[in-house]
Amino acid sequence: MYYTINNNVSANLSTNINSAINWLSINTPLTFAIKSSSNSNFVKFNASTENNSLIGMTGGEQLINLTSDASVSTAIHEILHACGIHHEMGRNDRDNYVTINTSNIYPNKMHNFNKVGVLASVDVGLFDSRSIMMYPSKTSDATFAKNINQNIITANNSNVVISPSWYPTTTDLLAINMLYGNEKPYLDYTVTYNRTYDDPQSGSYDNEVICKFTFYTDQAKTIPYIKGYPVPVVIEYYYEKIVNRFPEVARTFEKSVLIPAGENSFYLYGNDNVDRQWGDIHFLDKLIYQPKYPSTHYR
């Protein structure tokens, strides 16, 4: 992304803009360079009375407006808009998690809460109420909310905690990586069972389950896939539980994980514990991490 900073931007705001650019440069595949005379498409950071940015590249000079007190987090939020990232509450599945309190939002601000639509966007990962692209439950901006003491967004259940992060979450990084850095490395997946308890007489046992995910650039899996920034991938985990001989749960869940910067692998630890009585499984507790296929993140 080529950029320039307008002359009306204060020294403090300029520092925050540069900090935002630096964070994104280190932690994502996004790259930034100061605009030169040969760059016709670029963003201009501009001091304004509002924080806003158009979604995606529009061509030519494109403003990223920031207020004088805009934080590093706000600058990142608006930069990501320019990169094509929408608001989290604009996801197509958002009604399953939150309710937009339209009666407390001024009509000229409602566009910030519109669903983007399946033809214009892709929902990446699971809904993330901590996303940097999420709005808080309440706002102190009286030009935004009719009553700043009332919610503009309400969680639909206690499992949804609306608390926007200061920096991009793993889900945010998934979206960025999908747009700008997803090279689909090749995955080598291994599972090791480490027996920590064994009762041959009853057949009961406890296992530590070591799940290793290793990524390579080539199909032969000889060249490690290593980046200077953390690379997010989506895996899944299988959880099963039996108590007093009655199955309680057996489900597969989705999970976002980061391949650490400078590394090509990570470990996740599960368990496989069985207690047998009179030959029957009296108690079972199993947790195993595994690849999620089909995957848009690896092969």
Side-chain angles (χ1 to χ4, degrees), residues 24-25 33 53-54 64 86 96 110 136 142 146 152 158 167 172 190 206 232 237 259 261 269 271 293:
L24 290 169
S25 297
S53 170
L54 294 175
I64 294 181
H86 291 271
N96 297 328
M110 271 304 304
K146 297 175 183 178
I152 55 173
S158 59
Y167 293 94
D172 296 324
T190 60
D206 290 344
Y237 61 95
I259 307 172
Y269 297 88
N271 54 268
Y293 291 112

Side-chain angles (χ1 to χ4, degrees), residues 242-247 276-284:
I242 296 174
V243 177
N244 294 326
R245 296 185 173 85
F246 291 99
R276 292 183 180 272
Q277 295 183 5
W278 309 106
D280 295 330
I281 295 179
H282 178 73
F283 174 84
L284 178 145

Side-chain angles (χ1 to χ4, degrees), residues 6 28 32 49 59 79 101 153 196 216 219 239 241 243 268 276 298:
N6 203 356
T28 76
F32 299 82
T49 57
I79 291 171
N101 301 320
I153 307 176
T196 58
Y216 296 90
Q219 189 172 5
Y239 181 64
K241 192 168 186 177
V243 177
L268 293 173
R276 292 183 180 272
Y298 45 80

Side-chain angles (χ1 to χ4, degrees), residues 88 97-98 126-132 134-135 159-165:
E88 190 71 5
Y97 304 92
V98 298
L126 301 175
F127 182 87
D128 185 3
S129 59
R130 298 181 185 274
S131 166
I132 195 172
M134 183 71 184
Y135 277 10
N159 294 324
V160 178
V161 179
I162 303 175
S163 180
S165 172

Side-chain angles (χ1 to χ4, degrees), residues 4 55 134 210 243 256:
T4 184
I55 307 294
M134 183 71 184
I210 306 171
V243 177
S256 299

Side-chain angles (χ1 to χ4, degrees), residues 192-196 206-210 269-273:
T192 303
Y193 291 83
N194 180 23
R195 186 65 59 95
T196 58
D206 290 344
N207 282 326
E208 178 189 38
V209 182
I210 306 171
Y269 297 88
N271 54 268
D272 179 23
N273 305 327

Side-chain angles (χ1 to χ4, degrees), residues 216-276:
Y216 296 90
T217 299
D218 60 323
Q219 189 172 5
K221 299 179 181 177
T222 59
I223 306 172
Y225 177 78
I226 297 176
K227 295 295 179 181
Y229 50 84
V231 178
V233 294
V234 174
I235 63 168
E236 63 184 17
Y237 61 95
Y238 174 78
Y239 181 64
E240 182 180 359
K241 192 168 186 177
I242 296 174
V243 177
N244 294 326
R245 296 185 173 85
F246 291 99
E248 285 196 351
V249 64
R251 291 184 61 188
T252 300
F253 301 87
E254 188 175 289
K255 181 180 178 66
S256 299
V257 186
L258 292 175
I259 307 172
E263 300 181 22
N264 76 316
S265 65
F266 58 82
Y267 293 87
L268 293 173
Y269 297 88
N271 54 268
D272 179 23
N273 305 327
V274 172
D275 179 25
R276 292 183 180 272

